[in-house]
Amino acid sequence: MITDVLDIVEVRLRERERCGWRLTVPRSQIYATVLHAVIVSARESHRVPATLDRAAILDSILDGADPPDSGPARHPVDDVIRHHIANMN
C-alpha cells in the first residue's frame, strides 16, 4: 500500500514536470507529507488496530474517489503538490 501511494505521487509529479512545473521543495518532502496524511487518517478512523490500510484518505489517493468526510481536501496528492510547485515556462 505504501508503494502504491508513493507511485501515485511520483506519477503526478512527473505529469506536472512534463508541463513545465518544478518543485520548490525536495521530492522527499512531498512523499513525507502525503504519507503523514495517510497516517493521520488511519489514526482518525478509531479502529483498532489503526493500520494504514484503514485510512479513509486512501480511497481518494488510490482510486480517485472522494472519502466520505473529505471536506475541502478532495485530492490530497494534488493539494500537496500544488503548494510546492512553480511554473518554469
Side-chain angles (χ1 to χ4, degrees):
M1 185 271 320
I2 292 173
T3 303
D4 293 338
V5 170
L6 295 178
D7 287 345
I8 289 168
V9 172
E10 184 61 26
V11 166
R12 299 264 173 84
L13 288 172
R14 288 183 183 178
E15 288 171 355
R16 297 284 177 104
E17 289 171 338
R18 278 193 299 272
C19 294
W21 294 86
R22 296 292 174 255
L23 285 175
T24 58
V25 297
R27 247 175 164 69
S28 60
Q29 184 172 336
I30 302 297
Y31 295 135
T33 303
V34 172
L35 289 176
H36 182 262
V38 172
I39 292 167
V40 168
S41 179
R43 287 181 179 163
E44 289 174 347
S45 73
H46 301 292
R47 295 182 187 157
V48 177
T51 59
L52 295 181
D53 62 334
R54 295 179 183 212
I57 198 171
L58 287 178
D59 289 338
S60 179
I61 293 173
L62 300 175
D63 300 331
D66 295 337
D69 57 348
S70 62
R74 294 190 173 274
H75 305 285
V77 173
D78 293 328
D79 291 343
V80 170
I81 293 171
R82 186 178 9 259
H83 293 300
H84 301 290
I85 202 164
N87 193 332
M88 300 314 255
N89 291 330

